[in-house]
Amino acid sequence: MEQIQESKVIGVPTPRIDGPLKVSGSAMYASDHHFPGLLYAWPVCATVANGTISRMDTSVAEKMTGVVAVYTRETIGKLYRVPPSDGFSMVVDERRPPLADDTIRYYGQYVAVVVAQTMEQAHAAADKVKVSYRRDQPVLSGQLLTLPLTTAKPEEKSKRGDTAAALKAAPAKVDAVYKIPVETHNPIELHASVAVYDGQKYTLYETSQAVVNHRDVMAAMLGVPPEQVQVITKFLGSGFGGKLWPWPHAVLAAACSRNLRRPVKLVVSRPMMFQNVGHRPAIEQRIQLAASADGKLTAVQQDYVNHTSILDDYDEGCGEITPFLYSTPNLLVTGGLVRRNVGNPTAMRGPGAVPGLFALESAMDELALELKIDPVQLRLMNEPSIDESLNIPFSSRHLKECLTVGAQKFGWSHRTLEIGSMKRDGLTIGWGVAACSWIAARIETAATVELRQDGSARVACGTQDIGTGTYTVMAQVVSHVTGIPLTKIDVVLGDSSLPPGPISGGSWVTASMTPAVLEAARNACTAMLVAAVKADGSPFKNRKQEELEFVDGTVRVKGHAQNAVPMGRILQAAQINSVSGTGKSEGTFGDPKPKLSFHSYGAQFAEVTWQPEIARLRMGRVVTVIDAGRMLNPRAARNQIEGAVMMGVGMALFEETMYDERSGAPVNNNLADYVVAVNADTPEIDVTFLDYPDYELNPLGARGVGEIGLAGIAAAITNAVHHATGIRVRDLPIRIENLLQSPASGVSSV
Ligand code: MOS
């Protein structure tokens, strides 16, 4: 593939071009949209997790002040199921349309929706809808690995060699079970829909990480052609995967607008965020490792089970990274599902890899201890030369350098092996390491670039900026090709009517979007040269196109900078408003016969401090070294990794959604009781990018960054905790109760 090495804008730390809009409060998020005649919808949520609606009385609610309508299964109108599909079209987490039947399968399931003049009126009336249930005991807990599996037997995800035999024969072994509780996405921006139906067309302002898919799903569920639906998400207050696919509230809002011919706003409340819009499922993983006495892996087995909802099959895919991370002749990964009375789980930042690496990288630490080999060394010793699961080369892999650079920056050589042996300022310190990886891919993208009479450019692509910096990177790519400064480039995205762009998922937007935007910008420059030689009034009229070049927003005879004419002047003279070019790039994701293994890599080093006298555990610092291709905007990229590390701190130390066993209600359904890492928990974070371009993926060598930063953090922390305390926490989050048994603890547990 073409390789672009030199650039004045690519690779330069660049402040977000949308920053001023955000800090001035003028960026329009979904729920900011307001229209004349706007009504507010508030759903009625089931108060049981398993049962049947036996009676519903809406009469009180209907008479309340401001109430316009109360919709139930009988009155909401026709809603359809989306057809099954592969890939990234028609993806929806909950396939059953809202209010489709009277069976309750999870706590909070929508059973009715109230529409009123104000949100408060709608909320108050929703509370007065009386629903009676025949209730059954919900199924919520139990050891996942020992429960009967929903899938007849665990599915084989990857296999090579004879794992059973190798496990039996090995001199060194680890066999342990690792657990992750339900984690709930808590972006600051609540999910929201503002639906505007004008009798023909739906304009839907949504919190979406994938506007094109959202349009197609909504069209299918509403039973109209996609041209009659437009989905707009100009800004997103983060999503973390929770906003990748449409949820039932969006369908309810659109249906209410359809029924009333009025704009309808529905904002999902924070408590509803814990039950109606996905979560990372509860997961149990058994990891078995076998190695020779000198530390060479001979077998790896990973058996994972995650919970899913009653009706939909969400597979967390915990075995995604295991098959290629280390060299081993024998490997087996299996996965299974267990049904629970919960809403459907969904992708949460780094789905599969993040929980999978917690287990695998914890087990690697346990193996290192067993073998008395340094954990960094153990990983270096088991570096594969090819992707052994597919027998293909890596596109670009520098995991060893991540580990050695990280070790050096962290000061790893000063680590002493014995538990609790390292002290500083009266604190016990623990050091842990984990390797990480994340898939890199491109998905099909189209884009257009326009060059305009006023000297500005416009770039359009039906992708989204979910807070990660897509606006800025798109402008950088256009600026790189055209030489037009960032301040004169308008980026238009977040609208399903634009050329279809990638989902903001998998950290794939940058890799997917750049080849299409490069091509579109180049085609726009060519269109400008065509206009220069052909259009009446152009100062270059009748010259040969090959004699001209487009440089820094001007057209000139090749090499003759002194005669350069600004593009705006040519268009003015020719009375043309703008010229444009289109670009397209193919997807690589899901290629059944890939020639290369595309992944990013990293090494996470964590320090914790431990005060055994008062059982106080604190984060010390994190050194993270990331090999994720070329960083197009190192400033935004660093911000992504720092944020991801903080999510890793939350995963390791705090996050856990708890359910009432009787009602099935998430009980810590607010930001006071569901603890996320905050500024006070922030360790010193040292981010290093190796910055090796991956030219096999796209001409700029970009892979993508975001999710990789979370992968491995929880294991690095639990490994550090073990080093400080001697306690191996295999069941997240780390609770202080776990550590009271520490041999290095002076606190006796009562
Ligand atoms: Mo990411 S969990 O693919 O939004």
Side-chain angles (χ1 to χ4, degrees), residues 54-66:
S54 52
R55 219 175 79 84
M56 190 168 333
D57 181 358
T58 59
S59 59
V60 174
E62 275 162 8
K63 289 190 206 84
M64 286 172 70
T65 310

Side-chain angles (χ1 to χ4, degrees), residues 149-160:
L149 294 173
T150 302
T151 44
K153 60 178 170 87
E155 209 177 296
E156 223 170 72
K157 306 285 185 181
S158 185
K159 184 179 177 355
R160 58 182 184 261

Side-chain angles (χ1 to χ4, degrees), residues 364-379 411-423 428-433 719-728 744:
M364 284 296 280
D365 200 63
E366 299 201 43
L367 182 65
L369 277 162
E370 163 102 17
L371 290 163
K372 299 195 168 56
I373 294 177
D374 177 87
V376 172
Q377 278 309 316
L378 181 67
R379 289 170 172 89
W412 188 259
S413 61
H414 302 294
R415 186 176 186 264
T416 53
L417 207 62
E418 206 188 322
I419 302 301
S421 61
M422 294 181 71
K423 308 277 179 192
T428 304
I429 59 176
W431 286 1
V433 63
N719 295 343
V721 164
H722 182 270
H723 184 230
T725 67
I727 302 282
R728 175 64 60 181

Side-chain angles (χ1 to χ4, degrees), residues 209 240-241 244 347-351 504-507 707:
Q209 295 177 231
F240 309 124
L244 260 176
M348 182 193 247
R349 210 173 194 187
S504 293
S507 307
E707 289 165 290

Side-chain angles (χ1 to χ4, degrees), residues 658-681:
M658 287 179 266
Y659 297 88
D660 182 320
E661 292 290 323
R662 294 155 303 175
S663 67
V667 288
N668 56 340
N669 60 357
N670 56 76
L671 288 177
D673 297 317
Y674 184 90
V675 185
V676 296
V678 297
N679 277 344
D681 307 302

Side-chain angles (χ1 to χ4, degrees), residues 109-145:
Q109 181 182 315
Y110 302 138
V111 296
V113 58
V114 177
V115 187
Q117 304 287 350
T118 71
M119 190 166 78
E120 291 76 9
Q121 289 166 341
H123 188 178
D127 285 348
K128 295 291 182 200
V129 173
K130 284 195 208 104
V131 192
S132 313
Y133 302 94
R134 275 187 299 276
R135 71 173 69 203
D136 297 311
Q137 181 60 36
V139 183
L140 286 150
S141 62
Q143 306 292 305
L144 293 178
L145 279 168

Side-chain angles (χ1 to χ4, degrees), residues 185 209 239-245 280 346-351 438 466 503-508 707:
H185 313 73
Q209 295 177 231
F240 309 124
K243 294 170 181 169
L244 260 176
W245 318 122
R280 197 193 302 277
T346 193
M348 182 193 247
R349 210 173 194 187
W438 180 246
I466 62 172
I503 63 167
S504 293
S507 307
W508 298 326
E707 289 165 290

